[in-house]
């Protein structure tokens, strides 16, 4: 066990004390993956069989990385039989074995969010509801939250509180949609992601002998990112750990940021109540960031009341102060960020993949993308359209899914007329009507067309029969061949490859290349499965695809690009240089969170996560004007900037607040300490302006002779006005750009004012 000597004292304590309940609080960059890995390796080296260890993560990528590290420490053969993976992959594995107890087959399909949304769209249409009111995203969110709190459709409809909330939101029919959603999933032999947890809870609740079987099976349970667990996950873990109580959870309450997905910070805060006599280990040394970044993050998170006290520290170099850049508009903010990335990359020979731009909402990416494109800086948007969400890939996967599970309604509807075989929407609607009348799946109707005379014409029945026989042939093929052979022959025999080959446009060629890439993925899966003596048939491949996370879709060759992502997506990642943009009130913290203590604390934790992604440098930006819902707004800098100890900041202002403002925690007015970087300077023929004291001015207040400032053209003097009302224009002589005529309705103008 020489590897134990590679750990610091606190890490070693968390690794070697393997008996009983243990809570490991792991600060950002403190080596939590190493602790989990070494703890498992330690158990294996002590003779614990791998199949008696259950390790749960939130991404397949994390599980693969840990498995690889463990194999390097104790050997592949020793680590091969670990039960290690995401919550969903592990519990789907259990459900495949126990499915018949719950009324499913072992070949049940797993719907991704898009499949679920398509089904909800279909139900909304069938119920003749307004699809502008019952939007799939909103409905699925409500259903997901209910499932994660173990509220079934019947209980949902009977809950006065839930029904009242839906009525208040003017969506009283969600309970009805939920009911039919579950019925249709059952008919299709389908589970969605939330069902994998919900049905595991039901399995353990209704079949105590099965619960006991898995309780006895796992001597040791380890859980990563415990602060991100929801109620459903919490209950499963608690039940499984109830016999041996050798449970080790690793997490950081300061990085609990997913309450909107159902994550409960209470799970980690109340661990001591669930497991009396537990051992607490704190990993407080940050190996990632400079001391300045770590100390600044500490000064922020210390303001939260709901937390497990810890003091993270770094022994790395002090590093640069955190820079704050002010811009006059969101467009200028993008320009400044792109210019700064270009400057740093040139001066320090930094790669573009050393930079990340983090924002609170996805909508903020547009301005950043435009600015980067103008600078010819390559970038990628993290969490964009996944390879497995592209149309041609979804089409072929639908064939594969229907081959494995003929009751998969969404897969069937997707490909029953692709490539075109003369089966239109009207025919599909008739099949659905018959299926609903007999409480059966559409596939069952296809297999019994002779028993429902008049449902379709003889010509259409012949086309449907040909389609059914095609799928039945694929099903027989899948039983004999591995996943690659099956997929290749389905792609050919279905007509997909022929259809795509007929389109020789660049887009068509790209789609065909994507199909080839999918075939490569299946081949790689089969080769890996063969080498590791695992199942290489089609159901096993589909299982892996269905359980992919966003991080699993990252391509390493797509590397040397600036990364753009929301802060929520950034957790678990790290970059040398991090830009946190849009640091403004009502944007970050978000408007709906600003005055609710619990929500504000979560926003502060989100800011803490953003800061601690950086290894070397943090630059924060804010704008004094921004377009919002088509209108110009004039936000204040985020309170979070002012909450950082000013000794760690460069280029910001100290807040002065009234006692009334302090009680509400409202940011005060700002006094200038230093000029913002990169502010444009006017020439000498216009009176010099202090850009930090610029104030927005409405078009109605502009008069001839006034010295104004424009974000694009700089300082200038108004020499004439023309027109009235919305057509009012100003003729302005700018020091750098000469004479311009501005329509005052749209022009964003500023004048020098005193902010004190």
């Amino acid at each position: 066990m020489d590897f134990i000597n590679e750990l610091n004292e606190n890490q070693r304590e968390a690794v070697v004390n393997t008996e009983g309940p243990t809570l490991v609080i792991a600060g950002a960059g403190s080596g939590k993956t190493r602790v989990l890995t070494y703890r498992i390796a330690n158990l294996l080296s002590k003779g614990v069989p791998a199949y008696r260890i259950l390790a749960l993560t939130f991404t397949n990528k994390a599980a693969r990385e840990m498995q690889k590290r463990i194999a390097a420490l104790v050997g592949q053969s020793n680590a091969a039989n670990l039960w290690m993976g995401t919550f969903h992959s592990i519990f789907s594995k259990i459900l495949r074995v126990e499915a018949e107890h719950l009324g499913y087959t072992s070949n049940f399909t797993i719907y991704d969010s898009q499949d679920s949304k398509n089904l909800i769209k279909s139900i909304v249409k069938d119920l003749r509801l307004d699809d502008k009111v019952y939007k799939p995203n909103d409905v699925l969110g409500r259903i997901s939250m209910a499932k994660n709190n173990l509220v079934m459709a019947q209980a949902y409809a009977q809950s006065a509180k839930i029904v009242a909330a839906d009525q208040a939101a003017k969506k009283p029919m969600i309970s009805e949609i939920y009911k039919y959603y579950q019925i249709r999933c059952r008919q299709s032999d389908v589970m969605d992601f939330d069902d994998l947890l919900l049905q595991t809870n039901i399995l353990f609740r209704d079949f105590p002998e099965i619960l006991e079987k898995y309780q006895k099976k796992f001597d040791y349970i380890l859980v990563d990112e415990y602060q991100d667990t929801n109620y459903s996950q919490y209950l499963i873990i608690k039940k499984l750990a109830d016999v041996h109580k050798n449970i080790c959870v690793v997490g950081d309450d300061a990085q609990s940021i997913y309450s909107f997905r159902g994550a409960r910070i209470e799970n980690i805060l109340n661990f001591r109540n669930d497991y009396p006599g537990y051992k607490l280990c704190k990993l407080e040394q940050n190996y990632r960031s400079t001391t300045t970044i770590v100390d600044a993050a500490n000064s922020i998170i210390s303001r939260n009341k709901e937390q497990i006290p810890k003091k993270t520290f770094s022994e790395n170099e002090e590093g640069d102060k955190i820079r704050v850049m002010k811009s006059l508009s969101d467009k200028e903010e993008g320009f400044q960020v792109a210019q700064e990335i270009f400057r740093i990359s040139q001066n320090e020979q930094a790669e573009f993949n050393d930079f990340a731009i983090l924002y609170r909402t996805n909508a903020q990416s547009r301005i950043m993308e435009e600015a980067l494109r103008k600078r010819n800086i390559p970038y990628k948007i993290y969490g964009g359209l996944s390879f497995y969400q592209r149309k041609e890939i979804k089409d072929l996967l639908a064939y594969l899914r229907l081959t494995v599970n003929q009751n998969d309604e969404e897969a069937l509807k997707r490909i029953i007329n692709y490539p075109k075989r003369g089966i239109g929407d009207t025919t599909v609607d008739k099949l659905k009507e018959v299926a609903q009348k007999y409480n059966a799946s559409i596939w069952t109707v296809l297999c019994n067309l002779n028993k429902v005379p008049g449902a379709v014409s003889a010509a259409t029945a012949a086309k449907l029969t040909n389609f059914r026989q095609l799928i039945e042939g694929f099903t027989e093929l899948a039983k004999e061949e591995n996943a690659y052979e099956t997929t290749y022959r389905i792609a050919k025999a279905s007509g997909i490859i022929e259809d795509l080959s007929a389109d020789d446009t660049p887009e068509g060629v790209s789609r065909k290349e994507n199909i080839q890439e999918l075939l490569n993925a299946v081949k790689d899966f089969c080769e890996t499965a063969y080498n590791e003596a695992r199942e290489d048939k089609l159901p096993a491949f589909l299982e892996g695809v269905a359980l992919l996370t966003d991080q699993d879709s990252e391509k390493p060759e797509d590397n040397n690009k600036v990364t753009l992502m929301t802060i929520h997506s950034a957790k678990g990642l790290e970059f040398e240089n991090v830009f946190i943009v849009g640091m403004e009130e009502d944007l970050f913290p978000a408007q709906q969170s600003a005055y609710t203590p619990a929500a504000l604390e979560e926003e502060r934790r989100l800011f803490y996560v953003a800061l601690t992604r950086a290894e070397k440098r943090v630059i924060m930006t804010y704008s004094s004007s921004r377009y919002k819902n088509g209108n110009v707004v004039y936000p204040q800098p985020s309170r979070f900037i002012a909450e950082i100890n000013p000794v760690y900041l460069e280029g910001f202002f100290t807040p002065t607040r009234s006692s009334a403002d302090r009680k509400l925690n409202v940011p005060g007015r700002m006094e200038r300490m230093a000029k913002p970087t990169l502010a444009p300077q006017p020439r000498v023929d216009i009176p010099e302006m202090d850009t930090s004291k610029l104030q927005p001015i409405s078009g109605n207040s502009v008069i001839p002779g006034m010295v104004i400032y424009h974000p694009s053209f700089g300082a200038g003097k108004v020499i004439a006005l023309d027109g009235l009302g919305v057509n009012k224009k100003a003729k302005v002589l700018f020091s750098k750009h000469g004479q311009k005529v501005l329509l005052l309705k749209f022009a964003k103008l500023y004048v020098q004012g005193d902010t004190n």
Side-chain angles (χ1 to χ4, degrees):
M1 294 203 300
D2 290 343
F3 57 82
I4 300 293
N5 298 324
E6 300 172 18
L7 305 171
N8 67 34
E9 186 178 343
N10 291 336
Q11 291 173 334
R12 192 179 303 118
E13 182 186 13
V15 165
V16 300
N17 293 297
T18 56
E19 304 307 301
T22 303
L23 170 61
V24 180
I25 297 298
S30 63
K32 78 172 174 62
T33 303
R34 169 177 274 210
V35 164
L36 273 172
T37 301
Y38 281 44
R39 188 178 174 100
I40 294 170
N42 181 37
L43 287 168
L44 293 171
S45 66
K46 286 163 63 175
V48 177
Y51 59 84
R52 300 195 71 85
I53 300 173
L54 171 64
L56 298 166
T57 67
F58 274 84
T59 67
N60 294 307
K61 183 179 177 183
R64 283 198 303 268
E65 183 182 338
M66 285 170 58
Q67 194 128 21
K68 188 176 176 182
R69 290 196 200 180
I70 293 165
L73 293 171
V74 297
Q76 177 61 43
S77 59
N78 210 0
N81 294 317
L82 284 168
W83 277 63
M84 177 180 283
T86 64
F87 284 86
H88 295 94
S89 66
I90 293 294
F91 298 137
S92 70
K93 190 174 175 181
I94 290 174
L95 288 171
R96 293 261 178 228
V97 175
E98 314 294 349
E100 62 180 28
H101 292 90
L102 298 167
Y104 291 86
T105 73
S106 60
N107 282 334
F108 64 81
T109 300
I110 301 171
Y111 272 2
D112 63 18
S113 60
Q114 192 55 55
D115 296 319
S116 294
K117 289 173 196 173
N118 290 341
L119 178 54
I120 287 168
K121 277 184 194 174
S122 174
I123 293 168
V124 167
K125 182 181 176 183
D126 292 344
L127 293 175
R128 297 180 181 176
L129 300 174
D130 188 343
D131 58 5
K132 293 183 177 63
V133 174
Y134 294 95
K135 296 177 181 175
N137 260 336
D138 298 341
V139 175
L140 184 59
R142 290 290 287 168
I143 292 173
S144 177
M145 194 63 78
K147 287 185 177 183
N148 285 328
N149 285 288
L150 308 186
V151 179
M152 301 289 286
Q154 185 178 355
Y156 188 104
Q158 292 173 349
S159 169
K161 185 178 179 181
I162 292 174
V163 170
D166 285 345
Q167 288 174 339
K170 298 183 179 178
K171 296 172 185 174
M173 292 294 287
I174 286 183
S175 61
E176 198 72 1
I177 298 171
Y178 185 8
K179 179 179 81 174
Y180 282 108
Y181 178 81
Q182 283 304 97
I183 290 171
R184 297 273 283 274
C185 282
R186 281 279 184 175
Q187 288 174 347
S188 299
D189 197 21
V190 157
M191 293 191 201
D192 64 19
F193 255 46
D194 298 315
D195 282 326
L196 296 175
L197 302 175
L198 174 63
Q199 294 297 336
T200 302
N201 268 296
I202 292 171
L203 180 72
F204 290 165
R205 180 197 69 191
D206 294 349
F207 301 93
E209 70 281 5
I210 294 176
L211 171 59
E212 185 181 2
K213 167 183 163 184
Y214 289 100
Q215 284 175 329
K216 289 180 176 177
K217 179 178 180 61
F218 301 123
D219 290 334
Y220 296 89
I221 298 173
L222 301 94
V223 185
D224 191 13
E225 304 286 13
Y226 191 62
Q227 78 281 347
D228 294 337
T229 52
N230 59 33
Y231 181 61
S232 189
Q233 290 163 327
Y234 162 81
L235 275 186
I236 295 170
I237 295 163
K238 197 164 187 311
K239 286 176 182 175
L240 287 174
D242 201 40
V243 171
H244 299 296
K245 292 190 167 51
N246 292 324
I247 177 168
C248 173
V249 303
V250 181
D252 183 5
D253 54 295
Q255 298 185 63
S256 178
I257 59 173
Y258 295 123
S259 66
F260 67 96
R261 293 183 191 166
R264 293 162 37 117
I265 192 172
E266 298 91 342
N267 293 350
I268 195 166
L269 295 177
N270 295 334
F271 186 85
R272 61 183 179 182
N273 300 327
D274 291 332
Y275 302 95
Y278 80 109
K279 186 169 187 60
L280 175 64
C281 300
K282 294 182 183 179
L283 308 182
E284 296 174 304
Q285 182 172 355
N286 182 307
Y287 291 93
R288 174 188 302 153
S289 309
T290 63
T291 60
T292 295
I293 292 170
V294 172
D295 292 342
N298 281 338
S299 72
I300 279 289
I301 204 63
S302 64
R303 295 173 178 264
N304 274 8
K305 292 180 180 177
E306 290 292 324
Q307 61 175 302
I308 298 170
K310 67 175 181 302
K311 180 73 173 177
T312 56
F313 67 94
S314 172
E315 293 182 353
N316 295 339
E317 62 181 2
E318 181 181 351
D320 296 341
K321 289 188 175 184
I322 294 172
R323 286 177 55 204
V324 183
M325 297 197 308
K326 172 187 175 183
S327 59
L328 296 175
S329 67
D330 46 4
K331 190 171 182 180
E332 188 186 42
E333 180 185 39
F335 167 78
Q336 286 187 341
V337 170
Q339 183 173 341
E340 196 63 8
I341 289 173
F342 183 79
R343 184 189 69 79
I344 294 169
S345 67
Q346 292 294 303
N347 290 351
E348 301 180 11
Q349 285 77 52
E351 298 286 339
F352 287 124
N353 61 4
D354 291 332
F355 296 87
I357 301 174
L358 307 183
Y359 35 77
R360 179 62 181 83
T361 65
N362 277 308
Q364 292 170 258
S365 74
R366 182 186 63 82
I367 291 285
M368 295 297 148
E369 289 185 72
E370 288 178 3
L372 293 171
R373 280 200 298 268
K374 285 177 182 174
R375 269 286 188 182
N376 290 320
I377 296 173
Y379 67 89
K380 61 179 177 180
I381 297 182
Y382 191 94
L385 186 63
S386 160
F387 174 79
Y388 288 98
Q389 293 299 325
R390 293 168 185 165
K391 179 189 178 301
E392 61 276 12
I393 300 302
K394 292 280 280 185
D395 290 338
L396 181 49
L397 287 175
Y399 269 101
L400 304 184
R401 282 167 39 186
L402 195 60
T403 296
V404 170
N405 173 15
Q406 285 79 51
N407 291 317
D408 187 336
E409 182 180 310
E410 289 305 310
L412 185 146
K413 288 191 300 183
R414 186 179 188 98
I415 49 115
I416 195 169
N417 196 39
Y418 177 75
K420 291 190 181 300
R421 50 177 63 89
I423 303 172
D425 291 343
T426 303
T427 298
V428 175
D429 288 341
K430 285 180 181 177
L431 293 174
K432 279 172 58 182
E433 284 177 22
V434 174
Q436 288 169 17
K437 179 181 177 181
Y438 290 100
N439 194 25
S441 68
I442 295 177
W443 181 263
T444 303
V445 176
L446 285 182
C447 294
N448 293 278
L449 287 175
N450 59 328
K451 296 179 182 176
V452 279
V456 293
S457 68
T460 301
K463 294 171 186 174
L464 292 171
T465 300
N466 288 338
F467 172 71
R468 174 175 60 80
Q469 290 171 345
L470 179 72
I471 300 300
E472 287 174 341
F474 293 158
T475 301
E476 291 305 311
L477 176 70
K479 291 175 184 176
E480 302 298 325
E481 301 289 352
N482 66 24
Y484 174 73
E485 289 297 329
T486 303
T487 304
Y488 176 75
R489 288 166 68 176
I490 288 175
K492 293 277 284 184
S494 65
I496 287 180
I497 289 180
E498 183 181 352
D499 182 68
L500 295 177
S501 297
D503 182 359
D504 57 3
T505 65
E507 293 79 11
V509 171
S510 175
R511 284 192 284 270
K512 188 177 176 185
E513 287 172 349
N514 285 336
I515 291 292
Q516 186 56 55
E517 184 59 31
L518 177 60
L519 289 170
N520 292 342
V522 185
K523 193 164 193 177
D524 182 60
F525 162 81
C526 288
E527 288 174 356
T528 304
Y530 177 80
N531 291 333
E532 297 179 2
R534 288 190 287 106
E535 177 63 57
D536 67 353
K537 292 286 198 292
L538 188 58
F541 171 75
L542 288 174
E543 174 95 351
V545 170
L547 296 169
L548 284 173
T549 65
D550 287 344
Q551 289 191 27
D552 300 311
S553 301
E554 288 294 292
K555 288 190 175 182
E557 64 270 21
D558 207 22
N559 243 355
N560 195 24
K561 296 180 180 180
V562 174
T563 300
L564 278 67
M565 63 171 75
T566 64
I567 303 168
H568 281 102
S569 300
K571 194 163 84 68
L573 303 176
E574 55 188 47
F575 302 89
E576 275 194 21
N577 307 287
V578 169
F579 289 79
I580 310 173
V581 300
M583 289 295 300
E584 298 147 24
E585 286 295 301
D586 295 339
L587 186 54
F588 195 21
Q591 186 172 15
Q592 65 271 23
S593 304
Y595 299 105
T596 306
L600 184 57
E601 289 211 352
E602 176 147 338
E603 289 286 295
R604 192 175 284 113
R605 292 193 294 269
L606 189 60
F607 182 45
Y608 175 85
V609 166
L611 282 175
T612 54
R613 296 313 91 201
E615 299 171 3
K616 181 178 177 182
R617 179 185 285 112
V618 175
I619 298 174
M620 299 187 293
T621 68
Y622 69 95
S623 174
S624 55
S625 72
R626 183 177 297 277
Y627 269 105
K628 189 175 183 180
N629 301 324
N631 299 311
V632 180
V633 295
Y634 303 99
Q636 289 291 313
S638 169
R639 71 189 72 194
F640 293 153
I641 307 178
E643 288 180 356
I644 296 177
N645 187 323
V647 302
Y648 306 122
L649 294 180
E650 173 189 321
F652 191 56
F653 317 92
T654 50
T656 57
R657 297 187 291 175
S658 69
S659 58
D661 283 345
R662 287 192 193 100
K663 287 177 184 174
L664 289 172
N665 203 20
V666 174
R669 296 157 59 215
M670 308 320 251
E671 297 178 278
R672 188 168 76 86
M673 288 182 61
K675 281 187 180 180
T677 357
L678 300 176
Q681 295 298 316
R683 289 184 181 174
V684 291
D685 52 345
I686 299 289
E688 191 163 310
M689 303 179 77
D690 185 343
T691 56
S692 68
K693 292 186 176 180
L694 293 176
Q695 298 286 330
I697 183 173
S698 71
N700 293 332
S701 304
V702 174
I703 57 174
M706 177 180 284
V707 175
I708 57 89
Y709 189 91
H710 186 278
S712 298
F713 305 129
K717 182 177 283 189
V718 180
I719 55 176
L721 295 174
D722 185 36
L724 296 170
V726 296
N727 296 316
K728 190 175 183 181
K729 300 174 185 175
K731 188 180 292 183
V732 184
L733 182 61
F734 290 99
S735 60
K736 290 184 179 180
H737 295 273
Q739 190 170 295
K740 302 283 183 184
V741 177
L742 306 175
L743 185 63
L744 293 176
K745 176 184 175 183
F746 296 113
K748 289 194 277 188
L749 302 178
Y750 301 79
V751 294
Q752 181 138 340
D754 190 353
T755 58
N756 292 323

